Amino acid sequence: MGSALEARVRAAFRDRLQLLKIPGKEDDFLPPACHLLAKRRELAEVERALLAKKEEFQMKMEELQERRQELEHKEGQLKEAILKFDKFLKENDAKQKRALRKATEEQQQASQRGAEAERLRPEIARLQRAKEKLQRRLAAHKAFPEYLQKVLEKSEQAQFGEIPELIGRFQTLMSTQASLAQRELVAREAVEEEHARLQQYVEESSNQILQQNNRVAELQSQLDQIRTRVLEGESNWIRIQNTAANKTLELGQIKLAALNLFQMVAKHRTVPADVAPDDTAAQLYVVQQCIVDLTDILADFRKGEPTYLPQPERTSASQLETQPT
């Protein structure tokens, strides 16, 4: 925009200069001051022309701006009108669809109501018959309210003020009776259950007692067997003690006999002095040596050879203990 304006100003300035150009012959006779004044006048005229062009251009720009704003305003109004028209069309279309849908729904509902009415007609007839039946029963039971009213009048101290109170009391008594009957049934079932449990406990206890009796019998039999074995053991112990006593007596007799033999040998022979009176083995060894010597002497005597009584060797007590019996 600025370059176009500048080009137009330059073109107007050139045109203005061409219009104000003085013939060449006159220019040759004018002084420089005149030329300067002429140039200044031309420059002022050019500036005035430029200013006029600027004002004209400014006015045109303002007109263009106003026209542009007017066009934008009209464009906005047109868009708004288009949007409103589009909205109107959409709303109209939606209303039409809703109207059609509503009409369809109403038609369906009407059909459903008709079908429901057709379906309910037998039910209505049945309810009508039930109503007539109840009315007949009401007429037949009409005497009962009168009877209840008389009962209220004859009740002691006007205990019940109205018939509903009497009926409520009757229903309460019936409910109490049913509750008591239920409790009695529950109690009876509980008693039967406890009786069954008691019977089972008695049977189990009897079985346990029988098992314990059998166990006691087995233990008694084992006790008798143990007592028998104890008696046998005591008898064996007594027999062993008797046998030990006999053996001890026999051993004492043997030791006494060995001591007697040792003493008899000691009377005729020299025996070791370290033989103890209770050392039966050493005593028997001395007796054995004596018997061996006597046997040898007897053998020599039988051969007719002179015999002499050899002196027994003196042996220590330790040697006698180590020699075999």
Side-chain angles (χ1 to χ4, degrees):
M1 181 70 69
S3 60
L5 178 61
E6 185 178 359
R8 292 178 64 184
V9 170
R10 288 180 181 276
F13 183 71
R14 284 196 303 270
D15 294 340
R16 188 67 177 174
L17 289 176
Q18 289 177 2
L19 291 174
L20 297 175
K21 190 174 181 181
I22 301 173
K25 291 182 179 181
E26 295 178 357
D27 292 339
D28 295 335
F29 298 101
L30 292 175
C34 292
H35 285 289
L36 181 60
L37 291 174
K39 293 296 182 182
R40 286 181 178 177
R41 284 195 300 270
E42 290 177 1
L43 181 60
E45 291 177 357
V46 169
E47 288 179 354
R48 285 194 297 271
L50 181 60
L51 182 60
K53 291 292 183 180
K54 285 183 178 181
E55 291 177 356
E56 183 182 359
F57 178 75
Q58 186 68 28
M59 291 175 63
K60 288 183 179 180
M61 289 298 294
E62 290 177 357
E63 290 177 358
L64 290 173
Q65 185 67 25
E66 291 177 358
R67 189 174 180 184
R68 182 178 180 182
Q69 291 178 357
E70 184 179 357
L71 290 174
E72 289 178 354
H73 180 67
K74 289 182 178 180
E75 184 179 3
Q77 291 179 350
L78 181 61
K79 287 182 179 179
E80 185 177 358
I82 291 172
L83 291 174
K84 288 182 179 180
F85 184 71
D86 188 21
K87 183 178 180 182
F88 171 75
L89 291 178
K90 290 181 180 179
E91 290 178 354
N92 191 18
D93 190 14
K95 289 179 180 179
Q96 185 178 3
K97 289 181 179 179
R98 285 197 299 270
L100 291 174
R101 186 168 58 252
K102 186 176 181 180
T104 304
E105 291 177 355
E106 289 178 354
Q107 186 177 2
Q108 291 177 356
Q109 290 177 0
S111 300
Q112 291 177 359
R113 290 193 187 95
E116 186 71 16
E118 292 295 332
R119 187 181 65 82
L120 291 176
R121 282 179 183 176
E123 184 69 18
I124 293 171
R126 186 183 66 79
L127 292 175
Q128 187 67 28
R129 291 192 298 271
K131 179 181 177 182
E132 294 175 356
K133 184 177 179 180
L134 290 175
Q135 287 178 352
R136 289 193 298 270
R137 289 183 62 185
L138 180 62
H141 296 162
K142 189 176 181 180
F144 293 105
E146 298 176 356
Y147 173 75
L148 293 175
Q149 187 64 36
K150 292 179 181 180
V151 171
L152 287 176
E153 293 175 357
K154 293 182 180 181
S155 63
E156 297 179 357
Q157 298 178 357
Q159 184 178 1
F160 303 102
E162 296 180 358
I163 293 176
E165 295 181 2
L166 178 61
I167 295 174
R169 179 61 177 171
F170 175 75
Q171 291 177 352
T172 302
L173 293 175
M174 291 297 294
S175 176
T176 304
Q177 182 183 5
S179 177
L180 292 175
Q182 182 67 25
R183 290 176 61 183
E184 182 183 2
L185 179 61
V186 172
R188 187 177 300 171
E189 291 177 354
V191 169
E192 292 178 356
E193 184 178 356
E194 291 297 329
H195 181 70
R197 291 176 60 185
L198 178 61
Q199 187 67 25
Q200 183 180 1
Y201 176 74
V202 170
E203 292 177 358
E204 292 178 355
S205 299
S206 300
N207 293 331
Q208 291 180 0
I209 291 171
L210 182 60
Q211 292 177 0
Q212 294 298 328
N213 290 334
N214 294 333
R215 180 62 178 170
V216 169
E218 292 178 359
L219 294 175
Q220 186 65 36
S221 176
Q222 293 178 3
L223 180 61
D224 294 338
Q225 293 177 3
I226 292 171
R227 285 178 177 175
T228 302
R229 289 200 297 269
V230 168
L231 292 175
E232 291 177 355
E234 290 178 352
S235 177
N236 292 331
W237 175 247
I238 293 171
R239 186 174 63 254
I240 290 170
Q241 287 181 346
N242 294 331
T243 303
N246 294 329
K247 294 294 183 181
T248 302
L249 179 60
E250 185 178 356
L251 180 61
Q253 292 175 355
I254 292 171
K255 286 184 176 182
L256 183 59
L259 181 59
N260 292 331
L261 290 174
F262 177 74
Q263 290 176 354
M264 291 173 63
V265 171
K267 290 179 180 180
H268 301 283
R269 297 186 63 181
T270 302
V271 295
D274 56 353
V275 177
D278 57 349
D279 192 356
T280 304
Q283 295 172 3
L284 290 175
Y285 179 74
V286 172
V287 172
Q288 181 184 6
Q289 292 295 327
C290 181
I291 292 172
V292 171
D293 292 341
L294 291 175
T295 302
D296 293 339
I297 293 171
L298 182 60
D300 293 338
F301 180 75
R302 288 178 179 177
K303 291 178 180 180
E305 295 179 356
T307 60
Y308 62 94
L309 185 63
Q311 295 292 330
E313 296 180 358
R314 298 182 62 86
T315 58
S316 62
S318 60
Q319 291 177 351
L320 291 174
E321 290 178 357
T322 56
Q323 290 179 359
T325 57

